[in-house]
Amino acid sequence: MSDMASWTGAVWLRPGALVYIGRLGDARAHAHAAVQLLVVSSGRVILTDERAAERSVSAVAIPAGVPHAMRAEDAFGASVYLDPALLEDDGESLVAGLLALPVDEKFADAALALLSESRAACPDRVVRQVMELVGRGIAGPLRLRDLAARVGLSPSRLGHLFSEQWGLPFTAYVRWARLRAAMDTVRAGGSLTDAAHAAGFTDSAHLTRVTHAMFGLAPSVLARGMSWK
């Protein structure tokens, strides 16, 4: 299979979720850490499971950790990647709502609106302060205990606030923030090595492993093959 050269479209990356709409490409055999929701509006997509069984799909949820490959034939649609933590409380309802959305110019707004319903409308002052600290320190280590001390909370209390207001554990929030920072660097013209160092990854190989593990896509495809919103 090709290395997904035909993935071209628009992408929205938020803490815990990546929303893509556009031309669907191939994906070699992989199992990602995110839950993938795929909606095909035209063309054909064939999924292959770990037993080499193939099936054509139009709307499907692929659980985290399930090996699969994907072949697209002149296909257009949407793909939403979700951190599994977002699905712990009312996951079935959220998945059903996302898979039922029509793939049109309003898809991304509608998907992001569904994802935000379970979160606080506006994070409180302390959480916003920690989010700013994460952004400023994204190139280095980001430990919950260190940031909790900066804002005068216990690590357990700060961790609870993040889970309550974002639907994500603090460590998951940081992972998604690092991915966004890395993609921003590549989009600005930096190399994968530049992006890895700017976002706190060990090196470009580490960044590539994480993006493949999360989404089954190379960072170069995510950063350069798509229009970011």
Side-chain angles (χ1 to χ4, degrees):
M1 286 187 182
S2 68
D3 194 19
M4 296 148 286
S6 60
W7 288 85
T8 52
V11 65
W12 292 255
L13 180 58
R14 303 291 186 269
L18 184 149
V19 177
Y20 168 83
I21 182 169
R23 184 177 177 84
L24 302 173
D26 294 343
R28 59 179 179 266
H30 66 286
H32 40 60
V35 176
Q36 182 182 6
L37 309 181
L38 180 67
V39 182
V40 182
S41 59
S42 65
R44 188 168 180 240
V45 169
I46 299 93
L47 289 185
T48 305
D49 65 21
E50 67 270 27
R51 297 182 299 276
E54 294 186 346
R55 61 180 173 128
S56 180
V57 298
S58 57
V60 63
I62 304 171
V66 173
H68 64 285
M70 173 175 158
R71 185 173 77 253
E73 299 176 354
D74 195 24
F76 186 94
S79 190
V80 181
Y81 298 85
L82 302 175
D83 194 290
L86 293 178
L87 303 176
E88 289 180 355
D89 293 330
D90 191 21
E92 290 186 7
S93 175
L94 178 57
V95 167
L98 289 167
L99 289 177
L101 292 176
V103 181
D104 56 21
E105 68 279 0
K106 298 179 181 178
F107 179 89
D109 287 341
L112 293 172
L114 283 175
L115 289 166
S116 68
E117 286 180 359
S118 61
R119 297 174 176 173
C122 181
D124 68 20
R125 177 188 59 80
V126 172
V127 171
R128 291 199 305 273
Q129 184 179 353
V130 174
M131 289 163 58
E132 292 171 1
L133 291 171
V134 168
R136 293 203 297 268
I138 200 72
L142 291 166
R143 300 181 181 91
L144 180 62
R145 65 176 184 271
D146 296 336
L147 294 176
R150 294 277 298 273
V151 298
L153 292 178
S154 69
S156 61
R157 177 57 181 161
L158 180 58
H160 175 76
L161 285 175
F162 260 87
S163 294
E164 180 181 67
Q165 297 187 28
W166 276 108
L168 291 171
F170 175 77
T171 53
Y173 176 87
V174 170
R175 180 171 61 249
W176 287 86
R178 291 195 193 282
L179 287 168
R180 177 67 197 226
M183 297 303 100
D184 285 346
T185 298
V186 176
R187 288 172 53 240
S191 67
L192 290 182
T193 298
D194 295 333
H197 292 160
F201 295 98
T202 306
D203 51 27
S204 60
H206 183 201
L207 171 60
T208 297
R209 287 196 301 274
V210 171
T211 57
H212 270 297
M214 286 297 293
F215 313 119
L217 298 172
S220 57
V221 173
L222 283 171
R224 296 194 174 111
M226 304 178 185
S227 172
W228 283 67
K229 307 296 184 181

